[in-house]
Amino acid sequence: MTGESSHAPRMRAIIERKKAGLRLSADELATICNGAVAGSIPDYQLAAWLMAVWFRGLDATETLELTRAMVATGRTLDWTGIDRPVVDKHSTGGVGDKTSLVLVPLVAAAGLAFVKMSGRGLGLTGGTIDKLEAIPGFRVELAPDELRRQVERIGCALVSQSPDLVPADGVLYALRDVTATVDSVPLIASSVMSKKLAAGAGAIVLDVKYGAGAFMGTIDEARELARTMVRIGTEAGRRVRAVISPMHRPLGRAVGNALEVEEAIETLRGEGPADLWELALQLGAQLMTMSGVSDPEEAAVRLRRIRDSGEALQRLRELVEAQGGDPSVVDDPDLLPSAPIVTMATAPRAGWVAGVDAGAVAEAVLRLGGGREVKGAAIDPAVGVVVLRSVGERVEAGEPLAEVHARSEADVHAVLSRLASAFSLVDREDACPPEPELEWIDDS
């Protein structure tokens, strides 16, 4: 938008105030959000305000009021009448992060209602919606009445983010993306939490990742973001906890949409990688605790029993079928899309694996066609990488490090050397670093 608008003079004053480091009122923040959605504030003024926020920041009150103003620009989901606690989860994104595919049916089988709205992948971070669409026939878009009926019937849904929830976020995020203002903690926190609040859950667990394969590079950055989001949720009357989890190496072994669906199924069978199951178990136990169902230890015991009994896997079948997918995929993952070429990236020398660079693995998958560099680009659900060696394992020269699932030989050759270099090898086993532990943050 290029013309002068009725909001333009006031918006200039708001920009001036933030440029000077002054606090903005709830009314001023509402003016920004409403004007962004209505198109009555020019993009250049919104961009100027975003940059002022990037430099000057927002305090806790401003961040909360911005979040509330963003929520108010769209509709909110009302789960009144649902006969079980409604919960939600958000991950800041990582490599191989298919936790929602495990967590949603697991927690629903435990008696909670889990409504998870997710997005698509962009850059090095995968998207839950892309993984779901690897399942033949799976529908990620549900009308509001259809969504409610499904939650009432089977206790869960995995759907794409509705455009009429928090439309201000769509406008502001698009501008943040092109104005280099994405990496602002108040703007990240308000973007995430506005959508979580609009989705209507009473208990929310946040998985804030840090490391080479995450948006937040350091644990201190992750802690700051986690505390900000927990504070917003708590002030808005929700029960919120956040876990700080490492993303130095991929979560689990599989990276790539169909491969990750298969690994999630294996995990619900009790056959998946330990790190993926442990994260899903802890997130699920916290959701049950925040919902007043049980304490974390009892919840963990119950969730393990639900997995081992096959109840969680059955709930996944019901979820896939309810959303138009082929439920036989759950029993026969070979029905998922598969790449025509499977080959190995091998170790250049002998040694112990000291690290697996999540960012490098993600770059390889992106090069294979399993990710997108611009919004709306098509992706190949069949391609990807399966990490075969864990930190602390011994490998000999020429032994496999990772399995490459590719569409062509040219794609294989384009990623093999980069993928092999993602594995750090050391000469002594005691030089392998210990895995960082999960760290929980709440409002206390």
Side-chain angles (χ1 to χ4, degrees):
M1 184 172 181
T2 58
E4 188 81 355
S5 74
S6 60
H7 280 111
R10 187 179 189 201
M11 188 63 189
R12 174 173 176 162
I14 292 172
I15 296 167
E16 290 280 8
R17 284 175 54 74
K18 182 43 62 181
K19 189 172 71 171
L22 301 177
R23 175 184 286 181
L24 300 180
S25 68
D27 182 60
E28 288 172 319
L29 292 165
T31 294
I32 295 167
C33 293
N34 293 332
V37 173
S40 58
I41 297 176
D43 282 355
Y44 57 79
Q45 287 192 315
L46 291 171
W49 175 76
L50 289 169
M51 188 58 73
V53 170
W54 191 91
F55 276 108
R56 289 296 195 171
L58 298 173
D59 67 19
T61 300
E62 287 176 299
T63 305
L64 175 61
E65 293 299 344
L66 174 61
T67 306
R68 286 174 169 161
M70 291 170 67
V71 172
T73 62
R75 72 183 184 91
T76 58
L77 300 182
D78 182 3
W79 300 107
T80 303
I82 297 291
D83 63 353
R84 64 194 90 178
V86 180
V87 301
D88 199 356
K89 168 252 182 187
H90 176 79
S91 168
T92 56
V95 180
D97 185 2
K98 71 285 292 180
T99 312
S100 293
L101 304 182
V102 177
L103 183 64
V104 169
L106 178 70
V107 169
L112 302 184
F114 205 141
V115 185
K116 178 73 176 75
M117 291 189 175
S118 299
R120 299 188 182 277
L122 184 63
L124 301 185
T125 299
T128 300
I129 293 302
D130 297 316
K131 305 181 208 304
L132 292 169
E133 289 185 334
I135 301 171
F138 197 99
R139 293 188 303 121
V140 296
E141 295 181 2
L142 298 180
D145 57 343
E146 186 180 11
L147 175 62
R148 185 179 182 90
R149 287 196 302 271
Q150 179 174 313
V151 174
E152 289 174 338
R153 188 172 72 256
I154 66 171
C156 57
L158 270 164
V159 295
S160 59
Q161 292 169 353
S162 173
D164 59 353
L165 292 180
V166 201
D169 181 60
V171 177
L172 294 176
Y173 190 88
L175 285 173
R176 287 168 58 205
D177 193 36
V178 297
T179 57
T181 54
V182 170
D183 56 338
S184 160
V185 166
L187 295 177
I188 297 169
S190 59
S191 175
V192 170
M193 292 307 296
S194 62
K195 288 174 285 196
K196 294 294 104 179
L197 298 180
I204 305 164
V205 68
L206 305 168
D207 181 5
V208 183
K209 297 186 178 299
Y210 69 96
F215 185 71
M216 310 307 289
T218 69
I219 191 169
D220 287 338
E221 291 172 337
R223 286 172 179 145
E224 181 186 2
L225 177 59
R227 291 189 182 105
T228 302
M229 292 194 295
V230 168
R231 188 184 306 117
I232 291 170
T234 302
E235 290 291 332
R238 311 298 171 89
R239 298 177 297 281
V240 185
R241 294 202 79 194
V243 65
I244 310 298
S245 65
M247 185 43 68
H248 303 288
R249 61 177 178 79
L251 180 61
R253 294 184 179 271
V255 184
N257 295 297
L259 295 171
E260 293 187 46
V261 173
E262 181 174 3
E263 186 166 84
I265 293 169
E266 291 170 353
T267 302
L268 288 173
R269 286 196 189 120
E271 302 166 359
D275 62 335
L276 174 59
W277 167 246
E278 183 59 30
L279 178 59
L281 181 65
Q282 290 213 33
L283 293 172
Q286 290 297 329
L287 285 172
M288 293 178 69
T289 302
M290 288 189 290
S291 299
V293 174
S294 58
D295 64 42
E297 187 173 333
E298 291 173 352
V301 170
R302 184 175 171 188
L303 290 172
R304 286 191 189 93
R305 187 166 59 246
I306 287 170
R307 179 200 61 178
D308 295 343
S309 70
E311 293 175 69
L313 205 60
Q314 175 57 26
R315 193 57 57 98
L316 178 61
R317 289 189 196 94
E318 294 170 1
L319 173 61
V320 171
E321 185 171 27
Q323 293 186 222
D326 181 0
S328 57
V329 163
V330 178
D331 300 302
D332 184 8
D334 287 343
L335 296 171
L336 291 165
S338 60
I341 298 171
V342 180
T343 191
M344 300 294 172
T346 57
R349 69 176 184 89
W352 278 269
V353 177
V356 184
D357 186 334
V361 173
E363 287 173 10
V365 175
L366 190 64
R367 176 64 183 81
L368 291 168
R372 59 174 63 86
E373 296 189 72
V374 295
K375 291 180 180 179
I379 61 172
D380 188 339
V383 302
V385 170
V386 179
V387 175
L388 301 177
R389 299 289 184 169
S390 299
V391 172
E393 285 190 46
R394 170 78 182 179
V395 62
E396 302 299 328
E399 287 188 340
L401 292 172
E403 202 173 68
V404 181
H405 294 244
R407 187 61 59 184
S408 70
E409 292 289 353
D411 288 343
V412 170
H413 292 307
V415 303
L416 274 183
S417 61
R418 181 71 178 106
L419 193 54
S421 69
F423 290 79
S424 302
L425 300 176
V426 294
D427 294 326
R428 303 189 335 270
E429 185 177 7
D430 60 7
C432 298
E435 184 66 17
E437 294 188 2
L438 301 180
E439 176 182 323
W440 286 94
I441 289 176
D442 56 27
D443 62 346
S444 59

